[in-house]
Amino acid sequence: MTPDAMTGGFADAPIQSAKGFRAILEVLSRPGTIVAAPGAQPPAPLSPAAGLAALVLFDGTTPVHLAGRHDCSAVRDWLTFQTGAPLVGAGEAMFAIGDWSALSPVTRFAIGTPEYPDRAATLIVETDRLAAEGALLRGPGIARTARLSLPEIAAFRANRALFPLGFDTLFTCGDRLAGLPRSTIVEGA
Amino acid sequence: MSNHYNFAYLDEQTKRMIRRAILKGVAVPGYQVPFASREMPMPYGWGTGGVQVTAACLTPEDRLKVIDQGADDTTNAVSIRKFFQRTAEVAVTEHTAEATVIQTRHRIPERPLTAGQILVYQVPIPEPLRFLEPRETETRRMHALEDYGLMHVKLYEDIARNGAIATSYAYPVKVEGRYVMDPSPIPKFDNPKLSGTPALQLFGAGREQRIYAIPPFTEVISLDFEDYPFEATKAPHACDLCGDGGSYLDEVITDDAGGRMFVCSDTDHCASRQAAGHRGRLSPQEDAA
Ligand SMILES: [Zn+2]
């Protein structure tokens, strides 16, 4: 195990988890909203916001898939030590972390079943740019319309067509966080 | 903080599980997410589902309001408020406008909720189809197929028998055009407030182990028929203490001779109006001084 695995977690887990959860709840309840999500210092290439989401949501019961450059020993060791989450292939994952290109094709991920649509994956997409511009968003959580810089449009339109099935997405950029639940209707820029 | 309790009572593993369920509920508005409900140090009738959802949401910066049938001062509301004051060290309030998290049983506050507020409902029976179909496998299948014919038949039988839809509490709604949902036993007067609010609404059923959600700005429609449209009815009176003609009222028996009065069920709403000088039919006379 890399020595860094033991650092960069929460110093005060109950309080930091509670605040971190509210940040995640906020962005999934209000698609297009971008919030600061500091508090975790995971090893590169995992961003602080993705590290926070992992510390808040992962444990031994949540299989996690690491895609592309995120599937490295530093990240694997950190997540294993900090959360105990088992690392799995894309199809079995409850959560997945990676760049959009590494996560694609996203049709690999669980979308739930008609009786249990909650049994769907949450993708944590690392981006190098996150802004309230670009794709036009409508739907639950949005007063009229919102905008968010998505890595592509087609995959999210296809995902929305599956509703109430589909994956849900968190976008991370440094210590900033945004969300796109499967319920959001995505239109072109 | 106190060393005798976990923050907000529940251990971290349990809160994580509840938080994941809440997020899936938000992603699929109106769908009931199963969760592993925990024993809480209070009876089921006291809203252990709502208490667990509130526990998973609270941060030390929150200001919590708890209402039971609209009132902040019932035993149930006071106990839950004290419970979170002690275990999460949150500030509390009786004023809707000041609260960031409001846990409620059977009412939605009169004052319109705002962005940043979370309304947590205590839910006894989350499945709106349960009275029509006792088998969980069947109700799941009906939700999956969006097969809500039975619900419409039930409401129409109501009309045939009573000349109107008799359901006045827990009146079923359809969320964002997809899931039929039980809004918990709020009076149907409150149903329109479910729709399009800037606040986030979360629902927790402890005994039945279900969590569901209505995100902000989500369309919530009360089921009805073209020839029998939904009506958000209330007693045809004004509040006898604050004079409000538009709030939901409780009927209170005032003496053995059958005397009665109508007062706002939302105690904060009524007290705020009285403090602002509004008077009702039975308000104490102003001092002549
Ligand atoms: Zn009143």
Side-chain angles (χ1 to χ4, degrees):
Chain A
M1 179 178 293
T2 43
D4 286 351
M6 286 175 275
T7 65
F10 286 153
D12 184 357
I15 303 301
Q16 288 179 283
S17 298
K19 291 181 182 179
F21 171 66
R22 286 289 280 277
I24 298 166
L25 181 62
E26 171 76 7
V27 299
L28 279 176
S29 300
R30 300 174 194 279
T33 303
I34 300 170
V35 304
Q41 291 98 36
L46 198 60
S47 69
L52 179 94
L55 294 175
V56 171
L57 299 173
F58 297 4
D59 57 31
T61 70
T62 61
V64 172
H65 178 69
L66 296 175
R69 65 193 178 107
H70 287 77
D71 187 19
C72 62
S73 60
V75 174
R76 281 196 301 263
D77 289 352
W78 190 80
L79 285 178
T80 303
F81 179 81
Q82 296 287 342
T83 74
L87 301 176
V88 298
E92 306 137 68
M94 194 182 289
F95 293 95
I97 304 178
D99 300 331
W100 181 251
S101 58
L103 291 167
S104 300
V106 289
T107 48
R108 298 180 291 160
F109 294 101
I111 56 170
T113 67
E115 278 79 17
Y116 293 94
D118 53 301
R119 296 177 182 172
T122 302
L123 310 185
I124 299 172
V125 181
E126 301 263 43
T127 66
D128 45 25
R129 194 174 148 275
L130 193 57
E133 59 186 49
L136 189 70
L137 315 180
R138 299 177 194 276
I142 302 168
R144 278 176 41 79
T145 59
R147 288 189 183 272
L148 190 62
S149 51
L150 301 183
E152 75 162 273
I153 305 272
F156 294 99
R157 291 179 64 89
N159 190 51
R160 179 61 178 78
L162 301 170
F163 189 85
L165 306 189
F167 57 81
D168 305 303
T169 309
L170 294 170
F171 295 101
T172 56
C173 181
D175 69 354
R176 294 182 313 131
L177 184 68
L180 197 81
R182 71 190 84 171
S183 59
T184 303
I185 298 158
V186 179
E187 294 168 23
Chain B
M1 65 171 283
S2 162
N3 293 321
H4 303 293
Y5 298 95
N6 293 311
F7 177 71
Y9 185 79
L10 294 171
D11 63 85
E12 290 306 296
Q13 169 97 10
T14 298
K15 281 182 287 192
R16 253 193 315 273
M17 176 267 298
I18 295 171
R19 286 166 180 159
R20 290 192 299 259
I22 291 171
L23 295 179
K24 287 303 176 196
V26 165
V28 190
Y31 164 73
Q32 302 163 51
V33 183
F35 81 110
S37 183
R38 294 291 191 264
E39 291 292 323
M40 297 299 288
M42 53 193 76
Y44 273 121
W46 284 34
T48 57
V51 168
Q52 290 176 80
V53 169
T54 298
C57 286
L58 282 179
T59 71
E61 284 77 34
D62 277 309
R63 187 172 291 275
L64 177 69
K65 171 181 166 81
V66 182
I67 46 173
D68 180 6
Q69 308 261 19
D72 297 85
D73 58 358
T74 68
T75 310
N76 186 329
V78 171
S79 299
I80 292 172
R81 202 160 59 229
K82 280 192 179 146
F83 175 75
F84 284 119
Q85 263 182 303
R86 199 169 65 235
T87 60
E89 300 191 349
V90 290
V92 296
T93 181
E94 296 192 358
H95 298 304
T96 301
E98 291 176 358
T100 56
V101 177
I102 303 172
Q103 183 173 327
T104 181
R105 173 174 176 269
H106 298 189
R107 274 312 308 277
I108 298 175
E110 300 289 348
R111 186 188 181 90
L113 299 175
T114 57
Q117 290 184 311
I118 301 176
L119 184 59
V120 179
Y121 295 76
Q122 302 173 197
V123 181
I125 300 166
E127 178 49 73
L129 306 170
R130 186 62 68 226
F131 294 110
L132 308 168
E133 171 53 64
R135 289 167 296 177
E136 171 69 15
T137 49
E138 269 305 293
T139 52
R140 269 206 182 267
R141 191 194 59 79
M142 290 158 78
H143 284 295
L145 297 175
E146 213 173 341
D147 174 7
Y148 296 126
L150 212 54
M151 178 62 90
H152 286 277
V153 168
K154 190 253 177 199
L155 291 173
Y156 214 86
E157 281 172 357
D158 242 27
I159 294 169
R161 202 174 306 119
N162 307 301
I165 296 174
T167 306
S168 55
Y169 291 88
Y171 189 104
V173 296
K174 196 168 210 183
V175 181
E176 203 65 19
R178 180 55 181 82
Y179 284 96
V180 166
M181 190 199 93
D182 184 325
S184 86
I186 57 172
K188 70 177 180 177
F189 172 81
D190 281 342
N191 273 28
K193 297 183 219 162
L194 295 160
S195 190
T197 171
L200 169 64
Q201 300 174 88
L202 302 176
F203 299 78
R207 192 180 47 222
E208 305 277 334
Q209 314 205 73
R210 295 288 184 273
I211 285 170
Y212 48 104
I214 302 175
F217 308 113
T218 296
E219 184 187 69
V220 181
I221 304 285
S222 301
L223 299 184
D224 66 356
F225 300 94
E226 220 165 272
D227 41 345
Y228 289 93
F230 171 82
E231 276 184 287
T233 49
K234 63 178 279 276
H237 304 278
C239 172
D240 284 327
L241 294 180
C242 78
D244 192 344
S247 67
Y248 190 74
L249 303 172
D250 287 336
E251 187 176 354
V252 181
I253 306 299
T254 51
D255 57 45
D256 292 343
R260 57 184 193 159
M261 63 192 292
F262 290 94
V263 297
C264 294
S265 105
D266 183 333
T267 52
D268 171 53
H269 174 76
C270 197
S272 301
R273 281 179 52 86
Q274 292 179 57
H278 295 281
R279 291 290 175 267
R281 187 176 62 95
L282 299 177
S283 294
Q285 293 297 310
E286 300 289 331
D287 288 340

